[in-house]
Amino acid sequence: MTASELAAVSAIRPDYGWLQQAIFRRLEELKRSSRPSLDDSRPLRVTVKAVVSREGILLDSVVVKSSGLDHIDQEAMALVQQAFPMLLDRPLDLQQVAMRIPITYSRE
């Protein structure tokens, strides 16, 4: 992709980094009360794809990269579902936005 093509795509695609940061903050708050049991000390990472409406409602979610442990994946899905609905800081330009949300669990 050339620089001009990349610039054109960037101009079309709005930056929803602020939304991702708001979701990360909310998930971190919820993770404090959610402590799944981990059998080893290595961190486990789950990536969840979430579709969020312009009203801050979770329309769909699915694990797109598993931690390798079903109970951890299920915990991540439950965590994402608990985070919504969310009051959004800014309006979305689209009816819905899909994003990948990495969630890491560790013993610490």
Side-chain angles (χ1 to χ4, degrees):
M1 186 176 282
T2 68
S4 61
E5 289 171 332
L6 185 59
V9 168
S10 296
I12 294 168
R13 182 182 296 160
D15 178 14
Y16 289 116
W18 62 269
L19 177 59
Q20 193 166 28
Q21 289 302 315
I23 293 169
F24 286 155
R25 283 191 303 272
R26 177 76 175 125
L27 291 175
E28 285 303 314
E29 289 171 11
L30 291 169
K31 271 175 53 176
R32 289 186 196 124
S33 63
S34 164
R35 294 281 183 214
S37 62
L38 300 175
D39 295 335
D40 60 36
S41 59
R42 68 182 170 95
L44 297 172
R45 184 176 173 139
V46 181
T47 303
V48 175
K49 178 183 173 187
V51 180
V52 181
S53 76
R54 68 174 5 159
E55 292 82 21
I57 297 169
L58 181 66
L59 300 174
D60 190 30
S61 60
V62 64
V63 171
V64 292
K65 185 169 184 210
S66 173
S67 67
L69 298 173
D70 286 340
H71 75 282
I72 297 297
D73 295 351
Q74 291 171 7
E75 177 68 28
M77 285 290 291
L79 195 69
V80 169
Q81 291 167 357
Q82 288 174 13
F84 293 90
M86 268 182 92
L87 183 60
L88 302 180
D89 295 337
R90 305 179 206 173
L92 298 180
D93 298 333
L94 303 171
Q95 289 294 327
Q96 62 189 35
V97 175
M99 60 184 56
R100 291 177 183 255
I101 304 169
I103 301 170
T104 303
Y105 290 96
S106 64
R107 290 184 118 175
E108 300 171 3

